[in-house]
Amino acid sequence: MNEVEKKGGEAAPKVSKTIRIQWREDRNPEALKVQIVLRVERPRPPQPDPREALLCYVDVNSSYGVVAIFASFDGQRVKVHETLKLKPPNRGRRLREAANRKGAASQGVKNNIHFALARLSERFNSKGWVKRAAEIFKKALAYARGRSVWINFDVPPAHILRNSHLRRTLLSVKRVARNLGNWYGIYATFECYPSHKCPLCGGELERFKTRRTRVEKCEKCGFLEDHDYTPFYWWLKKLGLPLPRWPLGSLSYKQG
Ligand SMILES: [Zn+2]
């Protein structure tokens, strides 16, 4: 209730009220139970100017867990404020096997997508996702300092998944993100960008594994980056922004 009142002045939320009255003759006939359910919906905020907004790229599909990049355009180049990797609670062999079993029904979709979704549905439950998504939204608002925020969630489109269980998980991940976005007044989109193509020259990226990260390198132009960050560059390109200095973080990498 307090939260609703506090935020009431910012946008015009749609409020619907449901009143439930319960009475049990057999248990406690002299008492009525009255429940009031308030449902508050805010409209989707308008699309911000990417040159003015705080930009956040969230990859839900990464085999690592959830990866988030916070950045903004400073007039000359895109500055990255923070890269965040939220580790999944557990990612054992058994989970991967379960993902493979689930994935067997839908052909043509990469196993890592099923693995990520199986983890989301089994270990990384919806409560956990709401908490983590809220964490990301709040962080984005803190970096924005009053500017508008644009968050893109990289999740695979639901129609490529034949497995109905995984599709439900995916849709609930999206619904949570969309609802939280509207609540915080953040513009949220759901677009996938490539992770195997060089954002500088379009060449194929070669993947190397180090102890900590999966690194990608372009043989044509020398672009070198953490595999989880590559789609972020493609998003910036689509927004018409210049690319940041790479790599975004420090890479412990030696070419063998
Ligand atoms: Zn390249």
Side-chain angles (χ1 to χ4, degrees):
M1 197 62 193
N2 278 338
E3 190 75 1
V4 175
E5 282 169 0
K6 226 168 37 199
K7 298 213 165 201
E10 293 166 15
K14 203 175 104 194
V15 183
S16 61
K17 211 188 293 176
T18 313
I19 299 175
R20 289 190 200 125
I21 300 174
Q22 287 163 346
W23 177 59
R24 296 273 309 248
E25 201 178 25
D26 52 335
R27 284 212 187 143
N28 196 3
E30 68 272 18
L32 273 184
K33 190 174 151 197
V34 180
Q35 203 176 26
I36 302 171
V37 180
L38 273 183
R39 193 184 149 85
V40 183
E41 275 178 85
R42 281 171 205 283
R44 190 185 191 205
Q47 180 184 314
D49 179 352
R51 304 174 83 85
E52 306 286 335
L54 186 281
L55 303 169
C56 179
Y57 195 90
V58 182
D59 190 353
V60 182
N61 195 26
S62 144
S63 70
Y64 186 88
V66 176
V67 174
I69 303 165
F70 303 88
S72 57
F73 181 63
D74 70 359
Q76 293 206 306
R77 59 167 59 236
V78 170
K79 219 181 102 195
V80 173
H81 303 288
E82 186 181 345
T83 56
L84 183 71
K85 291 197 177 195
L86 299 169
K87 217 174 183 176
N90 192 333
R91 43 175 196 159
R93 183 177 51 87
R94 272 176 56 215
L95 197 56
R96 181 172 282 280
E97 281 168 4
N100 287 343
R101 275 200 304 278
K102 277 179 189 159
S106 39
Q107 288 154 352
V109 180
K110 278 173 287 170
N111 268 345
N112 65 339
I113 293 179
H114 291 107
F115 178 50
L117 288 170
R119 195 187 50 239
L120 279 170
S121 60
E122 278 160 27
R123 298 281 179 191
F124 200 64
N125 56 25
S126 74
K127 231 179 175 179
W129 166 239
V130 171
K131 226 169 136 187
R132 273 156 208 238
E135 210 177 298
I136 292 169
F137 279 112
K138 281 182 195 160
K139 205 158 227 189
L141 284 173
Y143 279 122
R145 296 171 175 216
R147 287 174 295 173
S148 35
V149 178
W150 185 337
I151 298 190
N152 183 67
F153 289 87
D154 192 325
V155 288
H159 66 83
I160 65 167
L161 297 168
R162 286 223 207 123
N163 181 307
S164 63
H165 176 66
L166 293 183
R167 197 184 296 183
R168 259 203 311 280
T169 301
L170 185 69
L171 291 176
S172 81
V173 163
K174 273 188 169 178
R175 194 181 53 239
V176 165
R178 193 177 295 120
N179 289 349
L180 277 173
N182 290 350
W183 179 257
Y184 286 114
I186 287 174
Y187 186 73
T189 48
F190 301 88
E191 284 165 11
C192 284
Y193 290 94
S195 58
H196 301 291
K197 241 187 185 181
C198 174
L200 304 187
C201 74
E204 285 293 311
L205 292 174
E206 260 191 73
R207 193 179 293 184
F208 302 90
K209 244 184 188 168
T210 68
R211 215 180 303 158
R212 283 194 189 161
T213 37
R214 292 176 303 161
V215 176
E216 285 181 326
K217 191 184 181 186
C218 177
E219 292 300 335
K220 264 186 178 168
C221 74
F223 174 75
L224 187 69
E225 186 54 280
D226 183 326
H227 162 81
D228 287 325
Y229 300 156
T230 305
F232 168 67
Y233 289 83
W234 283 99
W235 185 44
L236 295 180
K237 273 180 87 156
K238 202 211 163 188
L239 295 177
L241 293 172
L243 300 183
R245 275 197 201 94
W246 53 266
L248 301 185
S250 61
L251 293 171
S252 52
Y253 165 76
K254 266 180 201 160
Q255 196 168 357

